[in-house]
Amino acid sequence: MDKLIVSPSPHDENYTKTTNIMLNVIIALLPAWGAAIYFFGMRVIPLTAVCIGSCIFFEYVCRQMMKRDNTIGDLSAVVTGLILAMNLPSTLPYWMAVIGSFVAIVIVKQLFGGLGQNFANPAITARIVLMISFPAAMTRWVEPFTHTDLDAISSATPLPLAGTDNAASYLDLFLGKCGGCLGETCSAALLIGGLYLAARKIISLAAPLSFIGSLFVLSWISGSDPVYQILAGGVFLGAFFMATDYATTPITTKGKIVFGLGCGIITFIIRRFGSYPEGVSFSILLMNVLTPYIEQLTRTKVLGAKEAEKNEG
Amino acid sequence: MKKLNGIKLKHRKNTENSSTVDFPVPEKVTIPMSMTMGAPCQPLVKVGDTVAVGQKIGDTDAAFSAPVHSGVSGKVTAITDYRNVMGTVCKMIEIETDGLQTVSDEVKPPVVTDKESFVKAVRQSGACGLGGAGFPTHIKLNPKADIDTLIINAAECEPYITADYREMMENPQDIINGINLVKSKLGIKTAKLAIEANKPEAIKNFTAMAENDDTIDIITLPSAYPQGAEKVIIYNSTGRIVNEGSLPADAGVIVMNVSTVAFLYRYMQTGMPLVTRRLTIDGNAVGEPKNVRTVIGTSFRELLEFCKADIDSIKKLIAGGPMMGMSVPDIDMPVVKTSNALLAFNHYDERKTSSCIRCGRCVRVCPLGLMPADIDRAYKIRNVEELKKLKVMLCMNCGSCTYVCPANRKLAETNQLAKALIPRK
């Protein structure tokens, strides 16, 4: 005891750290990732590795150039890379994936100040940029289990087939036996991952439930098949893993519900009236942009607080 | 009724079954003239004076204060300047004890006839809230508004501390008598003794004791920190909300610590002022954690040695609990009226702060519903208007937000710094 250490209270802490949270998100994504390998073949592995590797690389270089602390250790870049990979078709050329990582990490995340400061979800934005830039490559879906063929059969995603004779069965949709981006087809695995995160109190189910629920109700009212609408496309991936992103969604439960409702409504409108068959990515991005306003309107009520005094004049 | 947020802490009440041990009278005590909220006292003795147990050695004309008494008999050897853990500078009286513990003539039961004489006697006892904050008791017992409920705070929600619990186990009748004393002198109809659910023995005992008394309710508080915070305990035991800028009295309640009421009862019987106190000594550097009763002014070092602490290994010393206690800069500092615990730790992890990831944990745990993450942002850019809107002034520094932050941000500290930016009216 040379000197006693003096610091402000509290002197106790719990042991959930940022890295720990990111690690849990990675664990939660593994079932859906495993399902992707099962359905779309081994190419999923190098594609994911390219996404994660390039995200880490860009994160490192960016922080170095900005003379900031190295933040690779918090694993957030790994999460971004993994979620980005989940949002890509398994046939995508590697160099396009690298461009996606660049958009996600450099433009969306680091240029706005890094972890927690970005206004939009990096992986969603990257997916949208790639989709607009390379529409053909981004929609070359593979029929599940055909990956051993050199020329994989491309297939449509289940969404445009809704209501036709080629529509997938509920079970195939739930288990992920249909075309789509590698991480979005297996709703069952995504549900397991989402519930795992909720059980670990990493995410709240407010946004996923209001997202999926509002889409279900709107589809039902409008006469589409509501179960098909929520199982097809990227709804589960978006609802559990991207509409729950800490940095780009509201903090309060009330805000999260508003956010989820907005996502459900926009997804419905795009699917129903838009020219794109899928609207999940756009709905989340649009709601990301609205998040600061939702935050302003959904602040918590402080116990015993008086209403703010009106400014003079 | 909306449930307030709270956090689950490891209780670590290692000393809950350790009966209070009396620490022998030390050879020397050092008694600061500022141990409570309010104005510091001025010494009433000079170097060379002889003092006796219970003799008043410090007082002031300021109303918001409490006098200071000696707990030992002996000779005043020095009067020095002293800076306490809150940073307040005051005088400190050093007394060399003679070991005789001669009781002063001043010590005699006060004559109390009405509320006025009661409040006067309470001031003379030197009493303050023994839970840790140290609010002068006579001020609390002289409210401007009408009071219908007396709440006795027996939550003791901080980890480690069992000083109040031992009072409840060892002197339950003093507590009941103290409650009845305050009730009758102030004309309060009902009292609520609020105990956290992690003390089932105490809840059982008091429920049995108050069975035939419908003026005392025993309330079981949920086991979630911080139940002992004034606003939280008022809300959880009466459903009343203390509004911004108001006092508990405006909501018709007075909140008193459980050990304080027991002390008041004993003072009215014996006239012995507040010169000793019980504190829990624990922490991983302490070999034999104990509840110790000692005279105010005993040095922390002696108490730690008494509890077989490995003095050389201590890296951090906390006066109070781990959530709201103060870091002690010097191991030779003395026990004061508000010392409810002394925790010695042999490790300290330098915590690296990283970016806020906006996970919202701080918002989910704040018992008052504040948004520490937003306050942190507003503080960074010194946005005073936004800080006002976020009601940072209401933060009671319970530390829950810092405790749960995965990015190690010192949010509770930021709240206190942010308060300083807001001009006082």
Side-chain angles (χ1 to χ4, degrees), chain A:
Chain A
M1 189 203 73
D2 296 334
K3 271 183 188 151
L4 288 171
I5 291 157
V6 174
S7 64
S9 62
H11 309 284
D12 208 348
E13 57 176 302
N14 81 341
Y15 290 93
T16 304
K17 300 290 164 234
T18 302
T19 308
N20 186 283
I21 292 171
M22 296 298 166
L23 194 64
N24 271 298
V25 176
I26 294 168
I27 292 169
L29 281 165
L30 289 180
W33 189 68
I37 298 172
Y38 177 70
F39 289 120
F40 301 117
M42 293 317 253
R43 194 171 188 276
V44 166
I45 296 172
L47 183 64
T48 310
V50 167
C51 286
I52 293 177
S54 53
C55 277
I56 294 176
F57 172 78
F58 287 129
E59 173 113 344
Y60 178 77
V61 171
C62 249
R63 300 297 290 191
Q64 284 288 320
M65 284 170 65
M66 297 193 297
K67 299 192 170 54
R68 299 270 179 102
D69 288 347
N70 176 4
T71 50
I72 292 172
D74 65 25
L75 296 183
S76 65
V78 177
V79 170
T80 303
L82 186 55
I83 296 187
L84 174 62
M86 304 290 259
N87 275 292
L88 303 175
S90 59
T91 53
L92 193 80
Y94 296 131
W95 64 270
M96 287 185 191
V98 174
I99 291 178
S101 298
F102 177 82
V103 172
I105 294 291
V106 179
I107 295 179
V108 183
K109 190 177 169 194
Q110 292 302 341
L111 289 187
F112 285 92
L115 182 63
Q117 306 297 316
N118 47 304
F119 73 93
N121 187 304
I124 282 275
T125 315
R127 175 178 182 167
I128 289 172
V129 167
L130 291 176
M131 201 145 70
I132 293 170
S133 313
F134 313 107
M138 279 297 282
T139 50
R140 266 196 75 222
W141 319 112
V142 200
E143 190 76 29
F145 304 125
T146 59
H147 44 79
T148 43
D149 299 348
L150 281 176
D151 292 302
I153 307 161
S154 44
S155 79
T157 56
L159 270 176
L161 305 174
T164 69
D165 294 342
N166 294 326
S169 74
Y170 289 161
L171 187 68
D172 282 355
L173 285 176
F174 187 60
L175 295 177
K177 198 166 157 274
C178 56
C181 291
L182 62 86
E184 70 182 14
T185 63
C186 185
S187 303
L190 291 164
L191 187 64
I192 292 170
L195 293 180
Y196 167 79
L197 288 182
R200 299 296 305 261
K201 299 210 165 121
I202 306 273
I203 62 165
S204 136
L205 287 178
L209 291 182
S210 58
F211 185 168
I212 297 171
S214 57
L215 181 61
F216 185 91
V217 170
L218 287 170
S219 307
W220 195 22
I221 293 170
S222 74
S224 341
D225 179 346
V227 179
Y228 198 91
Q229 286 295 325
I230 62 166
L231 289 180
V235 178
F236 276 52
L237 179 63
F240 286 108
F241 291 95
M242 298 193 282
T244 56
D245 175 33
Y246 289 153
T248 58
T249 65
I251 275 187
T252 60
T253 304
K254 227 190 295 173
K256 289 181 205 294
I257 293 171
V258 172
F259 185 92
L261 287 177
C263 288
I265 293 167
I266 296 171
T267 303
F268 168 76
I269 291 173
I270 293 175
R271 283 185 177 181
R272 180 90 182 171
F273 306 107
S275 53
Y276 280 97
E278 173 60 307
V280 171
S281 315
F282 290 106
S283 73
I284 296 173
L285 182 63
L286 286 169
M287 291 311 289
N288 284 166
V289 177
L290 283 178
T291 293
Y293 301 98
I294 300 173
E295 291 258 272
Q296 287 290 329
L297 298 172
T298 56
R299 279 190 172 157
T300 51
K301 197 181 171 322
V302 182
L303 189 75
K306 283 187 192 146
E307 289 300 310
E309 291 156 37
K310 291 217 171 73
N311 285 333
E312 286 163 40

Side-chain angles (χ1 to χ4, degrees), chain B residues 172-335:
Chain B
Q173 197 55 50
D174 289 0
I175 293 170
I176 297 287
N177 292 347
I179 292 171
N180 287 327
L181 171 76
V182 175
K183 256 173 32 197
S184 68
K185 294 292 177 262
L186 269 65
I188 299 172
K189 280 191 256 2
T190 46
K192 291 173 188 286
L193 175 59
I195 309 171
E196 193 175 317
N198 62 354
K199 303 169 190 67
E201 279 290 297
I203 294 169
K204 204 179 81 194
N205 292 352
F206 280 106
T207 307
M209 287 174 81
E211 204 174 21
N212 299 318
D213 186 349
D214 51 10
T215 63
I216 300 180
D217 294 340
I218 312 298
I219 306 251
T220 303
L221 299 167
S223 196
Y225 178 85
Q227 291 304 318
E230 198 164 58
K231 284 183 182 179
V232 175
I233 203 165
I234 292 171
Y235 184 81
N236 281 345
S237 49
T238 65
R240 295 180 199 174
I241 293 171
V242 179
N243 285 320
E244 187 177 358
S246 304
L247 293 168
D250 299 319
V253 298
I254 290 179
V255 184
M256 286 180 79
N257 171 269
V258 64
S259 297
T260 313
V261 279
F263 162 76
L264 282 188
Y265 170 72
R266 289 193 291 265
Y267 174 71
M268 294 302 157
Q269 304 305 305
T270 64
M272 179 58 76
L274 183 59
V275 291
T276 63
R277 79 151 297 150
R278 178 193 295 110
L279 66 165
T280 302
I281 298 175
D282 203 342
N284 64 7
V286 175
E288 291 174 10
K290 281 188 178 78
N291 275 299
V292 176
R293 187 187 296 111
T294 187
V295 290
I296 286 161
T298 311
S299 90
F300 286 157
R301 183 193 294 271
E302 283 183 71
L303 290 174
L304 288 166
E305 280 166 353
F306 182 68
C307 294
K308 308 273 185 293
D310 181 359
I311 303 286
D312 288 332
S313 75
I314 298 174
K315 285 210 167 63
K316 198 163 181 189
L317 197 56
I318 300 162
M323 294 303 287
M324 289 190 72
M326 308 291 286
S327 269
V328 177
D330 179 358
I331 194 167
D332 292 311
M333 281 178 138
V335 170

Side-chain angles (χ1 to χ4, degrees), chain B residues 80-110:
Chain B
T80 53
D81 281 330
Y82 173 73
R83 183 188 290 274
N84 71 13
V85 286
M86 302 291 287
T88 311
V89 177
C90 63
K91 294 288 179 200
M92 181 163 76
I93 299 176
E94 186 186 292
I95 303 169
E96 224 171 72
T97 59
D98 57 17
L100 300 172
Q101 289 301 85
T102 323
V103 176
S104 159
D105 301 340
E106 293 173 20
V107 177
K108 46 181 184 282

Side-chain angles (χ1 to χ4, degrees), chain B residues 338-415:
Chain B
T338 52
S339 308
N340 51 2
L342 180 63
L343 307 176
F345 295 99
N346 58 21
H347 66 87
Y348 175 71
D349 305 320
E350 189 64 57
R351 300 169 63 188
K352 199 164 163 278
T353 297
S354 55
S355 307
C356 170
I357 56 171
R358 287 173 36 85
C359 65
R361 281 173 173 74
C362 52
V363 180
R364 285 207 298 276
V365 300
C366 180
L368 299 184
L370 294 168
M371 301 185 76
D374 287 18
I375 294 170
D376 193 27
R377 278 193 168 190
Y379 175 72
K380 226 187 279 174
I381 55 169
R382 303 291 188 271
N383 187 342
V384 176
E385 281 310 305
E386 183 73 358
L387 287 171
K388 276 191 204 162
K389 271 189 215 154
L390 288 164
K391 300 290 175 193
V392 67
M393 290 309 279
L394 293 178
C395 171
M396 54 196 182
N397 201 17
C398 70
S400 302
C401 46
T402 307
Y403 179 86
V404 297
C405 181
N408 292 335
R409 300 188 75 76
K410 295 194 188 296
L411 297 162
E413 185 192 8
T414 303
N415 288 355

Side-chain angles (χ1 to χ4, degrees), chain B residues 48-219:
Chain B
D49 283 3
T50 311
V51 294
V53 177
Q55 182 183 335
K56 187 150 81 171
I57 55 171
D59 205 349
T60 164
D61 292 336
F64 196 77
S65 65
V68 177
H69 304 80
S70 169
V72 296
S73 62
K75 212 166 102 184
V76 177
T77 47
I79 295 177
T80 53
D81 281 330
Y82 173 73
R83 183 188 290 274
N84 71 13
V85 286
M86 302 291 287
T88 311
V89 177
C90 63
K91 294 288 179 200
M92 181 163 76
I93 299 176
E94 186 186 292
I95 303 169
E96 224 171 72
T97 59
D98 57 17
L100 300 172
Q101 289 301 85
T102 323
V103 176
S104 159
D105 301 340
E106 293 173 20
V107 177
K108 46 181 184 282
V111 181
V112 172
T113 49
D114 54 358
K115 185 185 162 190
E116 200 186 331
S117 57
F118 175 64
V119 171
K120 219 168 163 180
V122 171
R123 184 176 191 282
Q124 285 311 314
S125 75
C128 68
L130 298 176
F135 192 90
T137 304
H138 68 101
I139 305 273
K140 200 176 257 188
L141 294 183
N142 197 12
K144 291 187 181 70
D146 283 336
I147 306 297
D148 60 25
T149 308
L150 170 69
I151 297 174
I152 302 300
N153 188 344
E156 204 163 53
C157 56
E158 284 244 24
Y160 293 102
I161 312 178
T162 59
D164 284 346
Y165 180 71
R166 289 317 305 173
E167 185 73 31
M168 289 190 268
M169 297 311 283
E170 293 169 24
N171 309 314
Q173 197 55 50
D174 289 0
I175 293 170
I176 297 287
N177 292 347
I179 292 171
N180 287 327
L181 171 76
V182 175
K183 256 173 32 197
S184 68
K185 294 292 177 262
L186 269 65
I188 299 172
K189 280 191 256 2
T190 46
K192 291 173 188 286
L193 175 59
I195 309 171
E196 193 175 317
N198 62 354
K199 303 169 190 67
E201 279 290 297
I203 294 169
K204 204 179 81 194
N205 292 352
F206 280 106
T207 307
M209 287 174 81
E211 204 174 21
N212 299 318
D213 186 349
D214 51 10
T215 63
I216 300 180
D217 294 340
I218 312 298
I219 306 251

